[in-house]
Amino acid sequence: MKKKNIVINADGAAMLADAIRRVSEPSRRAFLQRTVTLGGLALLTGCSTSDADSIDAALTGMSRFNDKVQGLLFDPTRLAPTYPESMITRPFPFNAFYGEDKVKEVDGDAWRLELSGLIADRKPWSLTRLRGLPQTDQVTRHICVEGWSAIGKWGGVPFSTFLRQVGADLTAKYVGFKCSDDYFTSIDMATALHPQTLMALTYDGQQLPPRYGFPMKLRMPTKLGYKNPKHIQAIFVTNTYPGGYWEDQGYNWFGGS
Ligand SMILES: Nc1nc2c(c(=O)[nH]1)N[C@H]1C(S)=C(S)[C@@H](COP(=O)(O)O)O[C@H]1N2
Ligand SMILES: [Mo]
């Protein structure tokens, strides 16, 4: 048993190291389709995806890689690692499908979160009303498939609290998001209800700055960066596969652990 496990560990580490090398290749689509669990592995090990050696070491130290780690990766109730505030990456990176000079400026007073689909109470929400719900915060690692990761602190409303409050059909398959910058994505209901999935209204204790998704973004430490929509304008609950901006171009839909 022990010997077999060591072999599997080495394979896993080699697969990951190979995947990390591919991050720098121009054709990232091939990389993304082959390495579904890279984000999840990096979350588990707490390593930067650009740090091949530390991931290698962490994986080699894990026993029963195949069964146990795979089980961890796909357990919807498993918590992603949290970090002390001293480990927050400053400045936290900006990323979008456009440059930082094109960041969407949303008017927070006029903004209303639109709700549709399998939701009982589809009345739009103002920012003030969202701020009135119970808030929590988390210091977690954001992992982008472009080959960087960073630790940040987000505060806001647990998404499960919100979904229950509006009477969303929690047995539905998907939750979809439409953003003010025409970005869009969607997640599975298990992830929507995950205890660390947050409707983030603050970053590092301040109102969410425009570049990080004002007025509201969805923060999920169990998912890769592109699954975390910024500038959310509308949320819908559905059983019809909604896809996403990058997902429709070949990025893996599950995109995380
Ligand atoms: N609305 C919107 N959300 C988005 C994106 C985007 O272009 N538009 N890019 C995604 C990607 S690929 C990443 S890595 C993160 C970057 O978030 P940050 O700017 O807070 O680091 O936002 C994600 N959510
Ligand atoms: Mo990303």
Side-chain angles (χ1 to χ4, degrees):
M1 271 311 269
K2 202 174 177 196
K3 191 166 182 234
K4 184 175 166 238
N5 291 338
I6 290 164
V7 171
I8 293 165
N9 283 343
D11 281 349
M15 180 273 288
L16 201 59
D18 178 55
I20 289 160
R21 271 194 297 279
R22 281 164 187 274
V23 177
S24 56
E25 285 177 12
S27 60
R28 274 183 286 124
R29 283 175 63 168
F31 152 69
L32 288 160
Q33 275 159 346
R34 285 195 49 224
T35 57
V36 177
T37 60
L38 174 62
L41 286 170
L43 285 171
L44 282 171
T45 59
C47 301
S48 158
T49 50
S50 54
D51 187 355
D53 285 342
S54 64
I55 293 178
D56 209 272
L59 283 177
T60 307
M62 278 181 197
S63 62
R64 299 184 62 235
F65 172 72
N66 232 10
D67 301 334
K68 192 173 163 198
V69 178
Q70 294 292 325
L72 293 179
L73 285 172
F74 298 108
D75 178 352
T77 61
R78 176 74 47 175
L79 296 183
T82 58
Y83 301 88
E85 295 201 12
S86 61
M87 283 181 72
I88 292 174
T89 308
R90 299 179 197 280
F92 191 84
F94 162 84
N95 196 31
F97 66 92
Y98 42 81
E100 197 165 350
D101 54 321
K102 299 274 188 330
V103 166
K104 189 83 193 170
E105 295 283 344
V106 177
D107 176 351
D109 295 331
W111 179 83
R112 293 291 180 275
L113 175 66
E114 298 152 26
L115 301 178
S116 64
L118 305 170
I119 295 176
D121 181 0
R122 295 188 288 270
K123 189 170 170 274
W125 280 65
S126 68
L127 200 44
T128 312
R129 194 163 163 231
L130 277 181
R131 287 179 181 140
L133 290 178
Q135 313 280 309
T136 178
D137 57 44
Q138 57 174 241
V139 179
T140 52
R141 185 185 293 276
H142 172 117
I143 300 170
C144 174
V145 291
E146 289 184 328
W148 57 270
S149 80
I151 294 171
K153 181 182 173 184
W154 292 269
V157 182
F159 196 35
S160 64
T161 305
F162 179 81
L163 289 173
R164 288 193 172 90
Q165 170 99 22
V166 297
D169 178 356
L170 304 181
T171 68
K173 281 190 185 153
Y174 309 105
V175 182
F177 305 88
K178 292 180 198 163
C179 308
S180 311
D181 58 359
D182 293 332
Y183 193 79
F184 63 106
T185 188
S186 54
I187 58 171
D188 55 289
M189 185 58 80
T191 299
L193 299 175
H194 186 281
Q196 289 173 309
T197 297
L198 212 61
M199 292 172 96
L201 302 173
T202 69
Y203 180 76
D204 206 6
Q206 309 292 323
Q207 172 179 286
L208 199 64
R211 66 187 180 284
Y212 301 144
F214 182 81
M216 192 268 287
K217 71 169 273 180
L218 199 75
R219 173 60 197 149
M220 293 170 284
T222 55
K223 293 285 186 197
L224 294 170
Y226 64 87
K227 300 298 297 180
N228 290 237
K230 305 194 286 187
H231 313 291
I232 295 174
Q233 180 61 54
I235 296 177
F236 58 100
V237 175
T238 179
N239 284 311
T240 309
Y241 176 72
Y245 181 91
W246 288 117
E247 293 89 333
D248 293 357
Q249 300 176 56
Y251 279 37
N252 173 255
W253 180 76
F254 198 70
S257 56

